[in-house]
Amino acid sequence: DGDYDVVVSDVDVDIPPCNSSRRIAIYENINGTFNDPYGNTNFEWVTNSYDVALLDINNDGLTDILSGKCNGYDVIMSNNCALVATSADYDLDGIPDACDACPTNPSPDCSEEVDYPVISTDNSMARQWNEMLLESIRGDYARPTVHARNLWHCSMLMWDAWAVMEPNACPAFMGQNYAGFQAPFDGFIPSTDIVIARDEAIAFGMYRLLQHRFANAPQAEYLMTGYDVHMDTLGYDVNFTSTDYSSGDGRALGNYLASQLIAFGLQDGSNEQNDYTNTSYTPLNPPLIVDLPGNATVLDLNRWQPLTLDVFIDQSGNTIPGETPDFLSPEWGQVTSWALTDADLTSYTRNGFEYKVYHDPGEPALHDMNGLGTSYIYVDGHSMVARWSGMLDPTDGVMWDISPASIGNNDTFPTTLDTYATFYDASNGGSPSLGHSIIPSTGLAYEANMVPRGDYARVLAEFWADGPESETPPGHWFTILNYVSDHPLLVKQFQGEGVVLDDLEWDVKIYLSLGSAMHDCAVSAWGAKGWYDSSRPITAIRGMSELGQSTDPTAGNYHPGGLPLIPGSIETVEAGDDLAGTLGENVEKIKLWAWKGSSAINNVDTEFAGVGWVLAEAWEPYQR
């Protein structure tokens, strides 16, 4: 109650008899009046105590008692959770140690930690194995193209396992022609209950396909154990390997589906058999050594440039051997798609290799040393990236409403390179949004959700650029989809119409819809990236900073191909500036108000770099 109570222990051990049944007296302080609520009640630890200490032995926020006896001592540990005075939480599970049945185990049910992914069996079989696939992506190298393809192939497998037993459904893969590949299929009549057969086909098919696709993942042992344990939990014998589905065995159908998708993947243009390595592409520019200032090695500011890093940790948290990662999937336009057609295709050739570009966006803005052509768009775009990196400070006082009332619902988008400049707010960040006036389900207005702009921008960057243990952007869309599927207000009608679907039918339909679209987006996007071979912001910003400033021809360090001067964002270093250098060696160089970079962080658990003036030649993009 906040009042100090009194504990008295007084047994003279030098005056026999020691065991005189004298007891500790505990007086409760009630508004200054002391009462003995225990009276003559004798607890074992109370009697014959000649000394007492009150302390928190195990740091759980509760006062324990050490009672010195005639012979030895008693330790009385308090376990009254209602009296916990601190938030000591050893296992960081949100439950104070005094109230935690297992204070060293963060599991809510005190289950033992296991070294493999555990997937709930409460959902449909398709959802279970989609969750296992997402966990597998988190345990693999961060390759968005590869995993968009994995998500598509798995969605086709699960759809077909359902569709071949549905009278009015058509398989997405079996019996279909994909660039000359066709998986033979003679129809399937289940010999058991259709619900059982579908679950068996999905489980065995996904088990085999994931075993194949993630056999060489950095966390392969962790994943393979998880696959085996989950199959055992479902009661399935993984030693059943038959692919003869003619008897109506759902397990065999699943094995067959997986075998055909594996065969399809080994000839679909992805170069899976060689771990998806590039077969022709080589970068024009030598690597940029990120830890060294400038970009002296760049040959063409319009072309992609490798980065050399001390340590490279990919989006899934894996440390990659070697310090200069290759361009990811610049030849991905060659990969067989779901629905892209020749009408969508433009083919280009470089160094004897055909680059296939679907939905060709056209040539990007190009840098020109004299500032001609579309160079001003190139300069403005990359300058905006640098300026926006100066908006990542959560302490700058700028607050944004990120509720649906203010975010989203844009009805116009840029259609030409010129219109991009007016779409974004270069000075303040973001783009104009109409927002939504009311909540559709209630008719009420959305409440404002004000947050620091710097926090919101950093979270967006970390989510899409990804941090450790990421399912990569294609997987993000599936986690969002699963979240929506779990929402209590969702009515599972396909496209919002017709009968309400059961969980399995809903899941296989939405997974096929999203998986096929995601794969075709990857084929289109990386096909364009490979052909146009455009530069990264770090290449452009550092490269232009070495040229100089392009605003004032009468001032020092002028170059028409350099960075523009924007007060408060992009300026030149002057004498006496903190960045001028000991001997003034940096005077007239370009400086940016930007994220300070990873070198400004000593302890990643407790510090953030913040923003400030940095030399443009040392600029680096924000990373978690």
Side-chain angles (χ1 to χ4, degrees), residues 327-552:
F327 194 152
L328 174 71
S329 307
E331 302 161 2
W332 208 249
Q334 294 276 355
V335 178
T336 302
S337 70
W338 159 255
L340 299 174
T341 68
D342 287 345
D344 307 317
L345 174 65
T346 305
S347 291
Y348 299 96
T349 301
R350 182 169 59 231
N351 297 330
F353 183 83
E354 181 186 15
Y355 287 85
K356 293 185 175 182
V357 181
Y358 292 91
H359 301 291
D360 188 355
E363 187 175 67
L366 298 176
H367 181 267
D368 181 83
M369 286 295 180
N370 296 310
L372 302 177
T374 56
S375 189
Y376 72 98
I377 300 174
Y378 176 101
V379 172
D380 286 348
H382 287 294
S383 298
M384 185 169 63
V385 172
R387 295 175 69 186
W388 281 16
S389 74
M391 301 176 189
L392 298 174
D393 185 354
T395 66
D396 63 8
V398 179
M399 303 292 289
W400 276 4
D401 176 17
I402 62 169
S403 75
S406 300
I407 297 289
N409 200 24
N410 285 335
D411 57 359
T412 58
F413 294 92
T415 56
T416 65
L417 292 176
D418 289 298
T419 53
Y420 273 94
T422 58
F423 181 72
Y424 295 107
D425 185 346
S427 299
N428 301 297
S431 60
S433 294
L434 297 175
H436 302 266
S437 57
I438 61 170
I439 303 171
S441 61
T442 65
L444 301 176
Y446 286 97
E447 293 185 7
N449 183 12
M450 305 301 296
V451 300
R453 176 184 63 183
D455 278 342
Y456 179 66
R458 289 189 303 154
V459 168
L460 284 181
E462 290 179 14
F463 184 76
W464 290 110
D466 292 297
E469 300 182 356
S470 165
E471 63 271 3
T472 74
H476 290 337
W477 287 111
F478 276 80
T479 61
I480 293 170
L481 182 63
N482 287 336
Y483 171 81
V484 172
S485 291
D486 289 340
H487 198 283
L489 295 181
L490 177 72
V491 179
K492 294 183 176 179
Q493 295 171 292
F494 190 67
Q495 296 183 323
E497 299 176 349
V499 299
V500 176
L501 308 181
D502 63 58
D503 289 345
L504 179 61
E505 182 175 353
W506 170 262
D507 287 338
V508 296
K509 286 183 174 179
I510 61 174
Y511 290 157
L512 181 63
S513 301
L514 182 59
S516 54
M518 196 62 56
H519 173 67
D520 280 10
C521 285
V523 172
S524 299
W526 266 265
K529 288 174 70 171
W531 167 246
Y532 289 110
D533 201 30
S534 298
S535 58
R536 313 173 193 252
I538 191 171
T539 293
I541 291 168
R542 288 195 181 189
M544 288 190 290
S545 76
E546 289 206 319
L547 296 176
Q549 56 88 11
S550 60
T551 299
D552 186 356

Side-chain angles (χ1 to χ4, degrees), residues 278-284 303-304 327 330-331 350 355 530 533:
N278 301 328
T279 62
S280 174
Y281 176 87
T282 53
L284 172 70
R303 300 290 292 275
W304 187 83
F327 194 152
E331 302 161 2
R350 182 169 59 231
Y355 287 85
D533 201 30

Side-chain angles (χ1 to χ4, degrees), residues 41-49 67 69 74 76:
T41 304
N42 286 328
F43 302 103
E44 181 179 351
W45 55 272
V46 169
T47 57
N48 298 314
S49 173
S67 175
K69 309 297 288 290
D74 283 341
I76 304 90

Side-chain angles (χ1 to χ4, degrees), residues 2-171:
D3 294 330
Y4 284 106
D5 305 312
V6 176
V7 179
V8 178
S9 176
D10 183 19
V11 175
D12 295 323
V13 295
D14 57 331
I15 302 176
C18 177
N19 296 317
S20 59
S21 297
R22 295 177 66 180
R23 61 187 295 279
I24 292 175
I26 301 176
Y27 294 97
E28 182 181 5
N29 181 354
I30 303 177
N31 297 323
T33 300
F34 290 87
N35 299 290
D36 183 357
Y38 298 104
N40 294 320
T41 304
N42 286 328
F43 302 103
E44 181 179 351
W45 55 272
V46 169
T47 57
N48 298 314
S49 173
Y50 66 87
D51 199 2
V52 67
L54 306 179
L55 67 165
D56 184 0
I57 294 174
N58 58 347
N59 293 317
D60 65 356
L62 296 175
T63 300
D64 308 307
I65 299 176
L66 179 62
S67 175
K69 309 297 288 290
C70 292
N71 296 298
Y73 58 88
D74 283 341
V75 178
I76 304 90
M77 302 297 294
S78 175
N79 62 2
N80 189 343
C81 181
L83 298 179
V84 65
T86 74
S87 57
D89 184 9
Y90 178 84
D91 56 12
L92 302 177
D93 62 356
I95 304 173
D97 291 338
C99 312
D100 197 339
C102 46
T104 62
N105 184 345
S107 174
D109 59 0
C110 296
S111 58
E112 292 299 319
E113 293 187 32
V114 294
D115 194 22
Y116 53 82
V118 177
I119 304 299
S120 171
T121 57
D122 293 339
N123 298 308
S124 78
M125 191 62 71
R127 172 67 178 272
Q128 291 177 45
W129 285 97
N130 177 259
E131 295 284 4
M132 188 68 82
L133 170 57
L134 293 173
E135 189 65 28
S136 302
I137 293 172
R138 297 179 189 112
D140 193 19
Y141 295 113
R143 301 179 286 195
T145 48
V146 172
H147 296 311
R149 173 177 171 270
N150 282 330
L151 287 159
W152 175 46
H153 287 188
C154 288
S155 70
M156 285 201 297
L157 184 152
M158 293 191 289
W159 165 264
D160 277 17
W162 178 88
V164 298
M165 299 178 226
E166 185 69 20
N168 297 318
C170 177

Side-chain angles (χ1 to χ4, degrees), residues 209-388:
L209 185 55
L210 296 189
Q211 271 200 323
H212 170 77
R213 290 287 168 82
F214 294 95
N216 297 316
Q219 298 183 39
E221 182 178 357
Y222 164 83
L223 296 173
M224 300 301 149
T225 302
Y227 305 157
D228 287 340
V229 170
H230 195 62
M231 289 291 279
D232 185 63
T233 301
L234 294 169
Y236 295 144
D237 181 3
V238 297
N239 294 311
F240 181 87
T241 59
S242 172
T243 58
D244 182 5
Y245 60 85
S246 60
S247 64
D249 192 316
R251 300 171 300 170
L253 175 65
N255 289 337
Y256 178 74
L257 267 166
S259 69
Q260 291 300 306
L261 277 161
I262 290 169
F264 171 57
L266 293 175
Q267 57 81 65
D268 69 344
S270 66
N271 200 24
E272 178 189 332
Q273 58 270 38
N274 294 307
D275 201 26
Y276 311 99
T277 56
N278 301 328
T279 62
S280 174
Y281 176 87
T282 53
L284 172 70
N285 287 313
L288 184 157
I289 302 174
V290 175
D291 284 347
L292 298 181
N295 193 359
T297 62
V298 69
L299 301 177
D300 188 341
L301 289 178
N302 293 310
R303 300 290 292 275
W304 187 83
Q305 183 178 31
L307 301 181
T308 296
L309 306 155
D310 282 343
V311 176
F312 178 67
I313 301 175
D314 75 4
Q315 294 169 325
S316 294
N318 301 300
T319 301
I320 308 300
E323 300 175 346
T324 308
D326 292 332
F327 194 152
L328 174 71
S329 307
E331 302 161 2
W332 208 249
Q334 294 276 355
V335 178
T336 302
S337 70
W338 159 255
L340 299 174
T341 68
D342 287 345
D344 307 317
L345 174 65
T346 305
S347 291
Y348 299 96
T349 301
R350 182 169 59 231
N351 297 330
F353 183 83
E354 181 186 15
Y355 287 85
K356 293 185 175 182
V357 181
Y358 292 91
H359 301 291
D360 188 355
E363 187 175 67
L366 298 176
H367 181 267
D368 181 83
M369 286 295 180
N370 296 310
L372 302 177
T374 56
S375 189
Y376 72 98
I377 300 174
Y378 176 101
V379 172
D380 286 348
H382 287 294
S383 298
M384 185 169 63
V385 172
R387 295 175 69 186
W388 281 16

